[in-house]
Amino acid sequence: MDGKGDVGDGAFLAFAEPLREGVILARPNRFIMDVDFGDADPVRCHCPAVSRIGGLDLAGRPCLVSDSRNPKRKMPLTVEAFSLQRPGERDKRWIGINQNASNRYVEHFLRAGAFRSMLGPVALVRREVPLGGSRLDFLVNDDVYLEVKTPLVQIQTEVPAYVPRLPEVPFNSTERAMRHLRELAASLADHERAVILYCLYYDNFGFRYYHGTTYDEVLATVEACRAAGVELWQADFEVCPQGVALKRCYELERW
């Protein structure tokens, strides 16, 4: 996908301090990961992904961890990314999983002018804007509604055979996303543009909707909303211990 969607200056967001590398031992529940840093007892860390992660068993996978430096937090450490490579390998490629931070990253790149292929010059960015029965993520320049999605139910890249998969679980939690699509389509009576931005924090095959039990319904809704003028875009990011880079941004032709 190289060459798609030029990005503007300021396409890197540095973390306050470099992330620390460890190895995931277990994910006892969706909010927790136990991590081994190799120099003390394992540490219980916050998992910021609200969904399952690609249907993968992440035990034994290398990870990157941030430290909030907040002693009031029950779990001051947060797992920001994992790698499909083995712990001992060098120059790892990382898969970002912090869905909670995605809006913060997008806002940084919006204000830095890095989404020029999608939006052109950005003069005004508003967060958490009411629309219908929802609050959408951004209103840009008062004429573009922008909703950010960070899909992790599928990891859309090659998964090595040595990474085990979890038993398949039916997934049909799509109503919130479809409601946002319908409300964005309705907003076009009052605004010039409405955009859904799918943010993938790894080198990927290209965003595709999950083939779950509601796939046909989802595709019908997407087609109707696109016909009404809603735009579907993808942004590809790269996570490293030092920060997050926006690599490319382009309008989707397939989904």
Side-chain angles (χ1 to χ4, degrees), residues 3-9 109-110 113-122 193 195 197 231-236 246-251:
K4 286 187 176 182
D6 292 339
V7 297
D9 295 335
F109 293 117
L110 282 171
F115 283 114
R116 64 188 180 196
S117 61
M118 179 173 64
L119 297 169
V122 172
R193 297 176 63 196
V195 177
L197 179 65
E231 302 170 33
L232 306 182
W233 287 71
Q234 176 173 332
D236 289 341
L246 173 60
K247 305 301 289 184
R248 59 189 68 85
C249 179
Y250 55 94
E251 191 165 8

Side-chain angles (χ1 to χ4, degrees), residues 58-73:
L58 297 182
R61 304 275 52 76
C63 64
L64 294 176
V65 177
S66 65
D67 191 338
S68 67
R69 304 296 178 184
N70 182 355
K72 294 182 179 180
R73 275 184 47 172

Side-chain angles (χ1 to χ4, degrees), residues 200-221:
L200 278 68
Y201 291 86
Y202 58 97
D203 189 23
N204 59 82
F205 296 145
F207 173 74
R208 299 291 183 269
Y209 282 102
Y210 179 68
H211 282 254
T213 56
T214 60
Y215 180 73
D216 291 339
E217 177 186 347
V218 167
L219 264 292
T221 301

Side-chain angles (χ1 to χ4, degrees), residues 14-20 65-69 77 240-243:
F15 295 133
E17 60 181 301
L19 304 181
R20 185 181 180 189
V65 177
S66 65
D67 191 338
S68 67
R69 304 296 178 184
L77 304 184
C240 69
Q242 291 73 36

Side-chain angles (χ1 to χ4, degrees), residues 2 5 10 15 34 56 69 80 91 106 119 134 170 184 235 237 251:
D2 289 343
F15 295 133
D34 293 329
L56 303 177
R69 304 296 178 184
E80 300 285 348
D91 300 322
V106 169
L119 297 169
S134 304
L184 281 168
F237 298 83
E251 191 165 8

Side-chain angles (χ1 to χ4, degrees), residues 124-126 139-145 190-192:
L124 181 66
V125 177
R126 292 172 55 198
L139 179 60
V140 181
N141 293 341
D142 281 333
D143 62 4
V144 183
Y145 276 115
D190 299 312
H191 290 81
E192 286 191 21

